[in-house]
């Protein structure tokens, strides 16, 4: 490959590159860095079905925790409280939200996501880790809205970055990681 100088003379491309230093810029993307274990070069966002199966696994874990920790406390309680407004219902809800908030904040994945090789990452370029505010907004407010409007979960199959409604609100994504 040759190039021409201002006098229309041919010069070798290797001489041009030898005389000039070409700076190489690398873009920083937290999602890429979060899954970069030395061999992963591209980010693959997790779709609806992978997230669905991971969520079902999480529900099994949460149900098991509630059966072990919460239900024995109220086994002999014969109250007439409705399940939604009972102390048992309140405690099982707290276990549900604590599970998602703490696992997402400290490990960036729940046990269901670990099983299927998924990880929650922030899509903001200025941050490397998910902040407490982002996790609380994503897991409490965003997930509640997604549960009320079931279309929120279906968006994970339609949007380009495979984000559910609570991911869009919190500017996060769920990516596949290499095991």
């Amino acid at each position: 490959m040759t190039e021409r100088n201002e006098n229309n003379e041919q010069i070798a491309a290797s001489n041009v590159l030898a005389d000039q230093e070409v700076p190489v810029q690398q873009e920083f993307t937290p999602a890429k860095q979060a899954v970069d274990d030395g061999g992963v070069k591209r980010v693959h966002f997790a779709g609806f079905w992978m997230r669905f199966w991971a969520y079902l696994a999480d529900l099994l874990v949460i149900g098991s925790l509630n059966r072990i920790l919460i239900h024995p406390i109220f086994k002999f309680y014969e109250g007439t409280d409705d399940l939604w407004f009972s102390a048992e219902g309140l405690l099982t809800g707290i276990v549900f939200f604590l599970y998602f908030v703490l696992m997402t904040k400290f490990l960036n994945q729940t046990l269901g996501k670990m099983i299927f090789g998924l990880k929650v990452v922030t899509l903001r370029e200025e941050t490397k880790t998910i902040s407490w505010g982002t996790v609380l907004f994503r897991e409490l407010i965003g997930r509640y809205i997604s549960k009320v409007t079931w279309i929120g979960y279906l968006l994970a199959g339609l949007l380009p970055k495979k984000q559910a409604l609570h991911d869009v609100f919190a500017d996060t994504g769920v990516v596949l990681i290499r095991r």
Side-chain angles (χ1 to χ4, degrees):
M1 172 187 238
T2 60
E3 294 184 350
R4 297 190 179 270
N5 65 8
E6 55 198 39
N7 296 332
N8 206 16
E9 298 173 353
Q10 289 185 348
I11 55 174
S14 62
N15 291 341
V16 171
L17 293 177
D19 294 339
Q20 300 174 0
E21 288 187 20
V22 179
V24 177
Q25 291 183 339
Q26 295 179 351
E27 292 184 25
F28 171 74
T29 305
K32 289 180 183 176
Q33 184 185 27
V35 297
D36 189 14
D37 60 354
V40 175
K41 300 296 180 199
R42 283 186 262 171
V43 174
H44 297 284
F45 291 95
F48 172 79
W49 289 109
M50 290 291 288
R51 294 175 67 158
F52 174 76
W53 294 115
Y55 183 68
L56 285 182
D58 287 330
L59 289 180
L60 284 172
V61 171
I62 293 168
S64 299
L65 285 173
N66 285 333
R67 295 279 183 217
I68 293 170
L69 300 175
I70 306 301
H71 292 300
I73 297 171
F74 295 97
K75 183 173 181 162
F76 301 107
Y77 175 71
E78 296 182 18
T80 58
D81 295 339
D82 186 18
L83 183 62
W84 285 101
F85 298 107
S86 67
E88 183 177 9
L90 178 68
L91 289 175
T92 56
I94 289 172
V95 168
F96 178 86
F97 285 114
L98 279 178
Y99 171 80
F100 280 105
V101 167
L102 296 176
M103 293 290 287
T104 302
K105 174 58 183 162
F106 293 115
L107 301 174
N108 289 354
Q109 47 189 181
T110 59
L111 291 174
K113 287 181 180 73
M114 287 178 196
I115 292 168
F116 289 94
L118 307 177
K119 191 172 195 177
V120 179
V121 294
T122 181
L123 298 178
R124 293 187 197 125
E125 292 191 17
E126 65 270 6
T127 61
K128 294 181 182 179
T129 60
I130 300 175
S131 68
W132 275 107
T134 301
V135 169
L136 291 173
F137 188 77
R138 179 185 192 271
E139 298 299 340
L140 297 178
I141 298 167
R143 191 173 294 273
Y144 176 76
I145 292 170
S146 289
K147 275 185 171 288
V148 170
T149 62
W150 285 92
I151 189 82
Y153 286 114
L154 296 177
L155 287 177
L158 303 173
L159 294 178
K161 291 182 182 175
K162 312 279 189 212
Q163 293 174 293
L165 192 60
H166 57 277
D167 289 317
V168 173
F169 288 156
D171 203 17
T172 59
V174 178
V175 296
L176 294 167
I177 56 174
R178 180 182 283 179
R179 294 187 218 184

